Every structure is written in structure tokens, then in C-alpha cells.
Amino acid sequence: MEYFSFENRDVRCAADVGRMAALGRFDVEFAIYGCASIYKNGEIYYRATSHENKLFDFIRQQRLEEVYSTPVIRLVKRGKVPSGMKEQILQEIKYELLQKMKRQYENGYFKMMQPFFQTEANDNAYSLLVNYAEKIYGHFDDAELQLFNGALLIAFEAKVLTKTSYQQLKAWHDHTRHQMADDPVIEDNIYRTFYGFVYEKKDGTRDCFFDAQEMTTVYHQQEMMLHGEFIGPIVQKNYWFRQFDQMSAIRRNYRKWLMDAENEIYLQQLKAIRSQQGVIDKDALCLVSKKLIDYSEAHAAIDYYDAIWNKK
């Protein structure tokens, strides 16, 4: 007589599941992310990748080089994958997304938006940011530096801070942070990073959103911005703790830290930056938006820049 233990049965079940997965018996979800970018010389590049975080990092870096990209769009496909076909299917989905982006943006979007992209920024927020830097000089505080860096980027993207001034103030920020590199870190068993931002409601009260997934926070921030909410920059905080049952307390701690950091005084500083006269013609941008209203992704890209630029 043959005897089977539950342990042996579980091992066999796991092996069977593995073999079925290898043979493509289960549905697999593929998510591909893409954007289109235009350079100063007018060249346009389309990118499609399964690496979401890397694409966002690329856009952030290119933004500082005054290369303008569309917001990231996503194409998700789900289905069974025959053995050995995963890479081919990925390439097919990438190609489909690239074709979708070309249909959306090769309709005059870049031609009509390039004059706005090439409009030189003014330096109307420079004195505000210099005063801000003077107030936190010598504090060597991580939260203050994150908030300052966030205000810098908001001003630069709004085109009320020139690239030269941005680089000057960013160099001061980076030098200060470098001096903090050897600060001790108390480590424990479990490590988590929370990402969040504060926003102002229509009634003037503040609230916040945060998550342990950076991209979840990025998408939520962008969605709220496109709906006209006044939002602060994303700031992060790292936590080490011993047991998972401490998570609720950690989340409460982060929420309090976030609300204290992006307080009313800080939001007023951001409002002062966003109230500076910009260089973008509001009426001209509105006209472009109307012309591309039938192209959902192109129209959303215009809405994105309309939200981050200061207008005149």
C-alpha cells in the first residue's frame, strides 16, 4: 500500500502548477508603458517599455534638459502565453502601443506645442527661492531639503525659473545633502519607504495621499493635478521596524510627518511661486487644446502642461 503525506501532495501540486505555467496554461498580464518626446532640434522619439519606473526616471531627467515628453500611457494585455512566446508577445504589444501613440501625436500635436516648449522661462520665482534657501541654510534637515527641491522643480516646470538659476540652486541643495551623507541610520528587520503629498481641498482644508508604492503615488498626484487640485510635491520617508503589526503605527507616523512637513506655510510658499506671471500665452494654449479635442491622449498631454505652466 502506498502512503501519501500532505507535504508530498503539496510539493506535487506546486510542481504541477509550475509545469502548467511553463506550458502557458494560465493567463498572464503584460503592461507596457510609453511616451513620446520632442527635442530642441525638433526630433521626436517614441518609447515603449515594460519598465515603468525606468521610464518615469528617464522623463524626470530629460525634463531638466528641457526635453518635453508626453505623460506616460499604459497598454495592458492579458492572455495565455505559449511556451517560448513571451518575448515575441511583449514586442507585439510594444509595437501596438507605439502605433497608438503615433496616431495620437502625429496629428499636429508636436508642431503646435513646440512653440510653447521653446518659449524661454523667466526668473520671476528666483528671489522667492533664494529667500527660501536662506531660511533653511545650516539646518541640514532631510524634510526641508526635499520640500525645497520640490519647490525648485515646480518653479522650473512652471517656467518661472530659468535653467541657469535652477542649476545654481540645485547645486546648493546637492552640496548640503552631500554633507549629510554620513548621518547614521538605525536599521531593523523590516524596511519600508512611504511616498506622499499634501493637497488643498476646495474648502481650503488640507489632506494627504500616501502609499508604499512610488508609482501609485505619482499617478494619484497627476490625476489630482489634472482635476485642478492644489498639490504639494511628493516627499518620502524611510522606516525600519521589527514586526509587521507595527505597520499601522508607522503609517500614522508618516501621515503626521507629511502633514507637518507640507503645512500651510509651505503651501503658501508654493502658491507664491505659482502666482508669478509666466511666459505661456493662456489663450493660445487653449486654442491648441480645442483643435486636438478629438485625440484623447494628445488632449490629456496639453492638459498636463496647462496644469504645470504659469500663464500670462
Side-chain angles (χ1 to χ4, degrees), residues 277-308:
Q277 184 175 17
V279 295
I280 299 300
D281 187 318
K282 180 179 180 180
D283 293 334
L285 186 62
C286 182
L287 183 60
V288 172
S289 180
K290 289 179 179 178
K291 288 181 178 179
L292 295 176
I293 196 167
D294 293 330
Y295 297 88
S296 59
E297 299 296 346
H299 194 260
I302 297 170
D303 286 344
Y304 170 78
Y305 283 107
D306 183 43
I308 66 173

Side-chain angles (χ1 to χ4, degrees), residues 22-298:
L23 293 171
R25 300 287 180 84
F26 301 122
D27 282 355
V28 177
E29 182 176 279
F30 294 95
I32 301 297
Y33 306 87
C35 73
S37 307
I38 186 166
Y39 290 74
K40 286 185 176 181
N41 61 5
E43 291 184 357
I44 300 169
Y45 289 89
Y46 292 87
R47 293 173 175 82
T49 177
S50 57
H51 301 291
E52 181 182 21
N53 289 73
K54 288 183 178 180
L55 184 61
F56 269 90
D57 288 342
F58 168 81
I59 291 173
R60 288 167 181 158
Q61 185 59 42
Q62 292 296 292
R63 179 188 306 163
L64 303 179
E65 300 300 323
E66 299 176 287
V67 174
Y68 288 88
S69 299
T70 61
V72 170
I73 63 174
R74 179 174 62 172
L75 180 60
V76 178
K77 296 283 186 176
R78 188 176 182 85
K80 292 180 173 60
V81 181
S83 180
M85 294 293 290
K86 180 179 179 181
E87 189 59 35
Q88 180 178 330
I89 292 173
L90 272 173
Q91 293 303 318
E92 289 174 355
I93 299 172
K94 287 180 182 179
Y95 180 76
E96 183 179 344
L97 181 58
L98 288 170
Q99 292 303 112
K100 176 183 178 180
M101 288 191 292
K102 287 184 178 181
R103 288 193 299 270
Q104 284 289 315
Y105 303 126
E106 291 187 355
N107 50 29
Y109 168 79
F110 283 114
K111 183 178 181 180
M112 287 187 277
M113 289 296 288
Q114 184 71 328
F116 299 104
F117 296 149
Q118 292 182 335
T119 301
E120 294 291 334
N122 61 37
D123 240 348
N124 286 352
Y126 178 71
S127 61
L128 295 174
L129 289 161
V130 169
N131 290 337
Y132 188 171
E134 291 174 349
K135 288 179 182 178
I136 64 174
Y137 178 79
H139 292 186
F140 299 101
D141 182 85
D142 174 72
E144 287 186 338
L145 288 172
Q146 285 195 67
L147 295 171
F148 177 76
N149 191 54
L152 264 187
L153 191 56
I154 286 171
F156 179 72
E157 289 185 331
K159 287 183 175 283
V160 288
L161 186 70
T162 63
K163 183 177 179 180
T164 300
S165 295
Y166 173 85
Q167 290 173 332
Q168 173 196 330
L169 292 167
K170 186 66 165 59
W172 172 82
H173 164 275
D174 292 348
H175 176 71
T176 304
R177 187 165 288 284
H178 179 72
Q179 292 177 284
M180 300 166 56
D182 295 329
D183 286 358
V185 176
I186 301 174
E187 298 184 359
D188 215 321
N189 298 339
I190 306 169
Y191 176 79
R192 285 289 184 277
T193 301
F194 286 103
Y195 306 86
F197 61 93
V198 169
Y199 60 92
E200 189 174 271
K201 297 180 181 180
K202 300 298 184 183
D203 62 3
T205 60
R206 290 180 303 121
D207 204 345
C208 66
F209 176 88
F210 65 93
D211 195 89
Q213 298 295 322
E214 182 181 13
M215 296 315 305
T216 299
T217 308
V218 168
Y219 283 127
H220 198 83
Q221 183 199 45
Q222 184 171 303
E223 181 181 355
M224 294 190 71
M225 180 182 70
L226 291 174
H227 281 90
E229 305 287 350
F230 190 84
I231 57 173
I234 294 174
V235 289
Q236 67 185 69
K237 187 172 176 62
N238 306 323
Y239 288 93
W240 288 90
F241 51 102
R242 191 171 297 275
Q243 296 176 330
F244 277 107
D245 60 10
Q246 296 176 269
M247 184 64 76
S248 294
I250 294 294
R251 291 179 65 86
R252 289 194 298 271
N253 181 283
Y254 177 78
R255 177 184 171 83
K256 183 179 185 306
W257 175 87
L258 178 59
M259 294 294 288
D260 288 344
E262 295 192 357
N263 54 30
E264 292 182 8
I265 295 174
Y266 179 72
L267 292 187
Q268 288 300 322
Q269 289 178 303
L270 294 187
K271 288 179 180 179
I273 292 171
R274 292 309 311 268
S275 67
Q276 299 302 305
Q277 184 175 17
V279 295
I280 299 300
D281 187 318
K282 180 179 180 180
D283 293 334
L285 186 62
C286 182
L287 183 60
V288 172
S289 180
K290 289 179 179 178
K291 288 181 178 179
L292 295 176
I293 196 167
D294 293 330
Y295 297 88
S296 59
E297 299 296 346

